[in-house]
Structures are given as C-alpha cells and as structure tokens.
C-alpha cells in the first residue's frame, strides 16, 4: 500500500517508557482499553437489544485484554504500578493506542467501520503474537485470537447489512469508511520499538499484517457493495503519543473519579 | 389423527382452574381467561421494560467507573439486565403481543416500568446502592415469581434469579469497600446515596395491600404468591441487618425491632411521591423515556437496513 506520511508528527522519542518491551505491551493494552471505553458507550443506547448486548460483550472482551496487558506492563516496568495506575494516571502523551480506536462512536455505521478496520487488524495480530516469548502477551493473544475472529464476523456482517441494506444505510456506511480510512495505515507502520521487539521474539513487524488486513477489508467492502477508498492521506502518531483531539476527552471522563479522589480504594 | 371415541366435554375454565389449583403451569397454548392473559401481558411487559429502562442509571457510570475491575463488573451487570429484558419480552410474546408493540406502548407512555428507575445516579456510591437495595428488592420479588402459574414467566424468572444474586453482592461490595477502606468523602457518598435510595426502594413493592387493585386477583391466579406488604417487610428485615454490617444509617427514625411481631417496624412511606413518580412526574421520567425512544428512533435506519438486506438475500437465494 502506498503510504503518504504526512509531515508534522514529531520524530523524537515520545515521553514515557524507555523500555521497548513495556512500551510494546502498553501499546496493545491501550488499543483495547480505549476501544472498550468507546464501545461501552453504546450500552443502553444501541439500535436494538441484541446489538446492545453484542457491543457490550465485545467491549468486555477488549477490556479483559487491556487489563491483562496493563498489568503485565506494570510488572515489566517493575515500579509497582497497577492496571489502574496505568489506566487512570497517564496523560494523552503517555497513551500509545492507535488513533483509530479513539475516534468517536458517531452513528452506528461509524462504530461498525471502526470495528471492521480494527478487528481485521487484530485477527492476524493476535494470531502472530500467540507465539510471543512474552508468555503473558502470548496468553492474551491466544484468547484474543478467538475473540477477534468473532468480533470480525460481527463487524463484517454489519458492514454488509448496512452497505447492502437501504440507500441511507449505504451512504452512511460509505461515509464512515471514507472518514476512518485515514487512520488505517498507522496499524502497519513499524517503528524502532516494533523492530526491536520483533527481533527479540516478543513482538512482530506490523507491516507484515497489511496484506491480510487489506484482503479481509476489501472482501467485506466488496460484499457490502462499498467502494474501497483510494485516499492516500494518512494520519499516524498514536504509537508515539501524538493523538487526535479526541483522546483527552476520553481520558477526562475515564479518569475523572480517580483523579478527583486519588489514593483511595474503590 | 382421527379420533373416534367421544370425550366428555370439559369446560376449559374448569381445566384452567384445576391446573392452577394443582400448582401446575399454564402454557401458551392452554386456554386461559382473557383477563389472565391481559394481566400477564401488562405485568411481564412492565417487568421487561423495567430491566431495560433500568440499564440507563447504571450505564451512566460505566465510562467513569473508578477501576477497570469495577468497570468490567458494571458492564457485565448492565448486559445481564439487557438479557433479562430479552427473556421477559420473549415470555410476553408467547401471549400474543410483539416486542415492537411493547416498545411502542412504552415509548407512548402506555406501558409502565418500575418507578425506581426515575431517580438520577449522582455518585459512584449510587452504583453500590442500586445493587444492594434495588437489585435486593427485585430479588425479593422475583424469588416469589419463580413460582408464578404461567410457565414461560416462571421459567424466565428462574434464569433471572440465578444472575440477580451476583448483582446484589457486587453492589454491597462496592459500598463495603467505600465504607471500610475509605475516606470521609467516600463514607459521605455512601450515606447520601442510601438516604436517597432507601424510600424509593421500599416503594418498589407497590402500594399497601389495602390499596392494591391487582393483588387479590393476581394471588388467586397464583401469578403473585406473596402480597406487597409481606414482601416489603421481608426486604426490610433482611436489609436492616445488612445496613449494620455496612455501618450506614437507614433514613427512617421509626425503624425499630418489634419483638412481638418478630419484624422491624418502619415509618410511613410517602405515597404522594410514589404516585407522582408512577404518573410520570418523578425526577427522571421524561429523560428515561426520551433517551429510550430517542435511541430507538436513532436506530430505525439500522433496523430497516438489516430487514432490507435479509429481504434481498431471500430474493437472491
Ligand atoms: Fe435484572
Ligand atoms: Fe439486576
């Protein structure tokens, strides 16, 4: 895929974690945490009860993965920080999730397109990380691989229903796909952390996932009668803590109680 | 099948009563009096709507849960309530009404739901208090309903009761953690939440038996097995003991053990408040229905798309 990297992303090291292993585990933990936070916002507001339950369950899967990975990051870091310390007391620059997952839920089509793109990434990602030398990461990946296949099935089915359904749903789905497309290349950009972790047998080179992702997404969009975008503009930088404006609001809400009353048991 | 022998005529009404008397279940295809059917539809739909509307006050805190563990539990709990709604809508559908029809009636204000969900959730302690008091009151009611005479309703209640005790425990655990390990600020949050939710949760059992229009007939049909006042007393007796473990004060100066009755005496419920909330004038009635109907309307294009897609698929295959 031709990647047009926009200028403006700071090239220096991001604030945070000098240890690439901690950094790597956090990145994937943060993807899951932020997506869980977004998906859980649908609970009690979805188009019908079945969808409500499905989005909540998928959110719970992501939250489970996030908790295991943040706990592991804290262990690796060795300074005694818990999953909650990492979730509740880091700022925007210290979160390392993909910009894609912090994008607002929008209408249901936007949520589905975001999930389609992310699920199609997580299926091969978790499969490959299942044999990571980091046993905790491998365990999360093994469980996640099964979950991600179901998530992808769900987002694919809905993409097809919306793309193929009515004129309105088709238009909404195409708009969502077009608008979120610019956040997809970021998933496959390898930086020094990725390369070092791939070398160490802990991580993988994300650029190797692009082919399978593109195949799955193209298949879903074709079946949904939707056009695969050709927009070459791509926004990236989440892995370096260079997010969109949305993340601060997600964190503001998620962290509010802990920051208002720090140091208490809940 | 050809039946040659003639059977003695059995009056279906007698058969219905015999099934009830024998503590057997009435099933969807059995003959039943119109009023029995209507009562069940009203009650099961109201129960289903309560599960679903009840998701809102708790969903309000999912994004702000203080820890990831609590967030996961709360999400799972609210999911459970959605599931309870589904079981109950399915039970009501066996009586000849569709889920869509019930939704429309709810949104139009023609179907009711438990008035408890018309109060706001103002602090994290409300999540604990809802689990402890509101789910606690719901369980008291639902344990009885497992023995309801209508088969599908009774079986739905058996499934639901299995999940409810976890709901109450997680609520109690939230409060206990805030009371025990916590700061003055946390204890204040808990006491304030208990002050706000105590009386409304007593109202969940409905009007006094002397005022309750449906109770007598429902008890005769064995839909309801224990009266409102008896259930309320059961709940109070259980809850007062738990409040001592928590170290919270229940906001009723008249609450005291009555040796003679073997129960706690308690103060007069503000029935004006109860009826005002039932009639739609509680603090959150408007928002609850606006949110529910709004989400339903916002999702119309999604449901239409799913229907259109499956219709196209049927045409192709
Ligand atoms: Fe429930
Ligand atoms: Fe419950």
């Amino acid at each position: 895929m031709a990647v047009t990297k926009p200028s403006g992303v700071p090239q220096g090291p991001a604030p945070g974690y000098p240890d690439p292993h901690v950094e790597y585990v956090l990145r994937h933990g943060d993807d899951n945490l932020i997506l869980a936070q977004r998906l859980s916002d649908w609970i009690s507001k979805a188009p019908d009860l079945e969808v409500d339950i499905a989005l909540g369950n998928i959110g719970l899967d992501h939250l489970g993965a996030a908790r295991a990975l943040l706990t592991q990051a804290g262990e690796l870091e060795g300074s005694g920080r818990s999953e909650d310390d990492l979730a509740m007391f880091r700022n925007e620059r210290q979160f390392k999730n993909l910009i894609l997952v912090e994008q607002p839920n929008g209408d249901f089509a936007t949520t589905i397109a975001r999930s389609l793109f992310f699920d199609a990434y997580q299926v091969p990602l978790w499969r490959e990380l299942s044999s990571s030398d980091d046993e905790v990461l491998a365990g999360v990946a093994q469980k996640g691989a099964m979950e991600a296949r179901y998530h992808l099935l769900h987002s694919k089915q809905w993409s097809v229903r919306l793309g193929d359904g009515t004129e309105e749903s088709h238009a909404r789905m195409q708009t969502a796909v077009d608008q979120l497309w610019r956040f997809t290349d970021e998933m496959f950009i390898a930086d020094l952390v990725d390369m070092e972790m791939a070398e160490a047998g802990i991580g993988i080179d994300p650029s190797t996932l692009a082919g399978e992702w593109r195949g799955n997404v193209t298949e879903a969009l074709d079946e949904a009668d939707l056009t695969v975008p050709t927009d070459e503009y791509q926004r990236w930088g989440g892995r370096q803590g260079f997010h969109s404006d949305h993340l601060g609001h997600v964190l503001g809400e998620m962290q509010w109680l802990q920051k208002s009353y720090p140091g208490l048991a809940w | 099948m050809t039946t040659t022998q003639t059977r003695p005529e059995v009056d279906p009404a007698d058969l219905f009563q015999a099934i009830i008397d024998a503590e057997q279940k009435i099933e969807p295809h059995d003959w039943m009096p119109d009023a029995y059917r209507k009562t069940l539809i009203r009650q099961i739909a109201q129960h289903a709507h309560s599960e679903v509307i009840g998701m809102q006050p708790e969903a309000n805190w999912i994004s702000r849960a203080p820890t990831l563990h609590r967030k996961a539990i709360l999400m799972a709990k609210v999911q459970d309530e959605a599931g309870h709604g589904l079981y109950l809508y399915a039970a009501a559908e066996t009586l000849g009404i569709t889920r869509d029809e019930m939704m429309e009636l709810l949104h139009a204000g023609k179907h009711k739901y438990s008035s408890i969900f018309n109060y706001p959730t103002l602090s994290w302690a409300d999540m604990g208090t809802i689990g402890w008091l509101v789910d606690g009151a719901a369980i008291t009611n639902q344990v009885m309903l497992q023995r309801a005479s209508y088969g599908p309703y009774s079986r739905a209640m058996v499934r639901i009761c299995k999940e409810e005790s976890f709901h109450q425990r997680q609520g109690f655990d939230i409060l206990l953690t805030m009371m025990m390990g916590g700061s003055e600020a946390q204890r204040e949050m808990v006491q304030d939440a208990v002050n706000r939710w105590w009386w409304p949760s007593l109202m969940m059992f409905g009007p006094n038996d002397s005022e309750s229009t449906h109770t007598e007939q429902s008890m005769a049909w064995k839909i309801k097995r224990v009266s409102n006042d008896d259930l309320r007393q059961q709940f109070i007796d259980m809850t007062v003991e738990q409040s001592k473990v928590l170290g919270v004060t229940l906001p009723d100066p008249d609450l005291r053990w009555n040796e003679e009755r073997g129960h706690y005496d308690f103060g007069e419920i503000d029935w004006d408040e109860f009826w005002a909330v039932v009639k739609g004038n509680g603090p959150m009635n408007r928002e609850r229905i606006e949110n529910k109907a709004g989400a339903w309307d916002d999702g119309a294009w999604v449901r239409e798309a799913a229907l259109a897609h499956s219709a196209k698929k049927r045409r192709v295959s």
Side-chain angles (χ1 to χ4, degrees):
Chain A
M1 185 173 354
V3 177
T4 312
K5 287 183 185 158
S7 52
V9 178
Q11 298 298 312
Y17 305 87
D19 180 339
H21 191 176
V22 176
E23 178 78 18
Y24 191 77
V25 172
L26 266 181
R27 289 176 175 187
H28 296 295
D30 288 347
D31 281 352
N32 286 282
L33 179 57
I34 299 301
L35 188 56
Q37 182 76 4
R38 282 297 194 201
L39 287 172
S40 70
D41 259 347
W42 276 104
I43 294 176
S44 83
K45 306 183 190 86
D48 69 27
L49 271 176
E50 284 83 353
V51 175
D52 213 294
I53 291 172
L55 293 178
N57 281 339
I58 293 169
L60 269 172
D61 286 345
H62 288 302
L63 184 56
R67 294 183 60 198
L69 292 175
L70 293 192
T71 302
Q72 170 69 347
E75 301 257 312
L76 292 168
E77 194 186 45
S79 58
R81 287 207 284 182
S82 67
E83 52 171 335
D84 290 320
D85 294 329
L86 288 166
M88 302 297 177
F89 295 100
R90 281 182 299 149
N91 63 28
E92 291 89 322
R93 294 287 279 135
Q94 294 162 333
F95 264 78
K96 301 301 169 58
N97 56 281
L98 296 164
I99 297 173
L100 175 68
V101 296
E102 74 203 33
Q103 295 309 300
N105 285 344
D107 63 2
F108 185 65
T110 307
T111 289
I112 289 300
R114 186 184 62 199
S115 279
L116 174 69
F117 293 161
F118 186 73
D119 300 341
Y121 159 74
Q122 234 180 15
V123 165
L125 175 77
W126 283 151
R127 190 188 59 229
E128 295 304 316
L129 289 178
S130 292
S131 50
S132 166
D133 284 347
D134 175 334
E135 277 177 27
V136 173
L137 179 57
V140 170
Q142 285 155 17
K143 182 161 183 282
M146 288 188 294
E147 292 168 351
R149 280 197 297 273
Y150 156 74
H151 301 167
L152 179 59
L153 189 70
H154 185 260
S155 54
K156 251 182 162 173
Q157 280 173 345
W158 270 111
S159 298
V160 172
R161 281 187 199 118
L162 297 181
D164 179 62
T166 63
E167 221 171 283
E168 180 183 7
S169 69
H170 178 85
R172 283 178 186 256
M173 192 62 204
Q174 186 67 58
T175 302
V177 164
D178 292 346
Q179 285 180 349
L180 292 172
W181 189 255
R182 64 178 179 273
F183 304 111
T184 55
D185 269 0
E186 183 184 17
M187 298 187 274
F188 312 109
I189 298 172
D191 71 355
L192 286 174
V193 170
D194 290 307
M195 298 322 290
E196 214 174 305
M197 286 300 99
E199 196 104 323
I202 291 166
I204 49 146
D205 173 356
S207 67
T208 60
L209 307 176
E212 185 173 340
W213 181 87
R214 178 112 193 159
N216 261 321
V217 167
T218 305
E219 187 191 289
L221 296 183
D222 282 350
E223 202 188 327
D225 208 13
L226 295 161
T227 309
V228 179
T230 50
D231 189 356
E232 288 197 351
Y233 170 80
Q234 289 291 324
R235 169 75 161 89
W236 61 293
R239 295 291 190 225
Q240 290 73 35
F242 190 68
H243 292 277
S244 67
D245 285 345
H246 299 295
L247 183 67
H249 297 273
V250 176
L251 298 186
E253 197 168 331
M254 182 173 79
Q255 301 177 334
W256 163 77
L257 193 55
Q258 282 283 1
K259 284 187 167 165
S260 304
Y261 303 92
L264 301 180
W266 299 93
Chain B
M1 185 174 70
T2 45
T3 317
T4 45
Q5 49 196 133
T6 49
R7 293 211 182 120
E9 283 291 309
V10 178
D11 184 343
D14 291 342
L15 185 58
F16 172 82
Q17 197 54 53
I19 293 173
I20 301 266
D21 292 343
E23 293 287 330
Q24 303 287 309
K25 300 295 178 207
I26 303 294
E27 295 299 335
H29 297 296
D30 293 344
W31 183 90
M32 61 186 88
D34 263 356
Y36 177 82
R37 184 185 299 274
K38 271 197 194 129
T39 299
L40 277 171
I41 289 178
R42 180 184 53 77
Q43 184 175 331
I44 301 174
Q46 174 167 336
H47 197 157
H49 296 325
S50 302
E51 301 282 356
V52 171
I53 294 285
M55 295 166 71
Q56 288 184 39
E58 290 183 291
N60 184 39
W61 277 89
I62 291 174
S63 67
R64 295 175 292 165
T67 70
L68 300 185
H69 175 64
R70 294 288 185 205
K71 189 192 292 288
I73 290 176
L74 187 57
M75 281 170 74
K77 185 203 186 254
V78 181
Q79 294 297 102
D80 281 353
E81 307 300 7
H84 297 174
L86 279 183
Y87 307 158
L88 287 163
Y89 283 127
E93 283 185 315
T94 63
L95 293 158
I97 185 168
T98 67
R99 202 206 303 180
D100 282 7
E101 284 167 340
M102 289 182 266
M103 294 282 183
E104 302 294 337
L105 288 163
L106 172 68
H107 299 162
K110 290 181 180 139
H111 266 182
K112 299 217 177 305
Y113 56 91
S114 175
S115 57
I116 192 74
F117 300 117
N118 291 313
Y119 293 85
T121 48
L122 301 175
S123 83
W124 175 250
D126 289 43
M127 296 304 98
T129 310
I130 287 180
W132 178 41
L133 296 179
V134 176
D135 287 274
I139 293 166
T140 307
N141 194 35
Q142 287 166 350
V143 163
M144 156 193 86
L145 291 171
Q146 293 182 102
R147 295 186 291 126
S149 58
Y150 188 56
Y153 191 30
S154 143
R155 288 189 290 272
M157 290 327 303
V158 171
R159 290 178 75 180
I160 289 172
C161 280
K162 282 194 187 130
E163 295 174 351
E164 286 295 350
S165 63
F166 147 71
H167 295 178
Q168 199 200 13
R169 261 183 289 128
Q170 64 86 35
F172 191 80
D173 188 63
I174 288 174
L175 298 181
L176 196 62
T177 307
M178 291 177 77
M179 290 302 287
M180 297 303 158
S183 62
E184 189 53 33
Q186 285 176 309
R187 280 192 294 274
E188 267 172 31
M189 275 183 222
V190 173
Q191 186 59 58
D192 173 61
V194 170
N195 291 348
R196 286 183 283 109
W197 290 95
W198 173 251
W199 290 106
S201 53
L202 297 190
M203 295 175 197
M204 283 175 73
F205 297 97
N208 286 332
D209 295 344
S210 54
E211 307 290 317
S212 177
T213 42
H214 305 296
T215 294
E216 206 178 322
Q217 181 60 74
S218 284
M219 302 252 304
W221 278 329
K222 296 187 180 168
I223 295 172
K224 199 170 166 50
R225 313 296 306 251
V226 185
S227 80
N228 292 356
D229 286 332
D230 288 349
L231 287 169
R232 186 164 19 238
Q233 185 70 60
Q234 235 180 59
F235 172 72
I236 290 171
D237 291 347
M238 171 184 82
T239 311
V240 172
E241 295 306 319
Q242 295 168 347
S243 75
K244 292 176 187 164
V245 177
L246 282 178
V248 292
T249 308
L250 296 172
D252 178 359
D254 298 325
L255 200 61
R256 68 178 60 85
W257 180 251
N258 182 325
E259 195 63 58
E260 215 168 292
R261 292 204 307 127
H263 290 294
Y264 279 93
D265 287 339
F266 55 98
E268 185 62 26
I269 290 169
D270 181 353
W271 293 112
D272 290 343
E273 174 179 331
F274 172 75
W275 288 114
V277 179
V278 167
K279 291 190 172 120
N281 298 319
M284 297 293 282
N285 294 61
R286 300 288 174 95
E287 281 93 331
R288 295 294 181 236
I289 290 298
E290 280 162 8
N291 291 345
K292 177 71 181 62
W296 185 248
D297 292 345
D298 286 349
W301 68 272
V302 175
R303 297 189 303 274
E304 279 159 23
L307 285 176
H309 170 68
S310 61
K312 282 186 207 175
K313 261 179 86 177
R314 265 200 305 279
R315 233 172 296 143
V316 172
S317 55

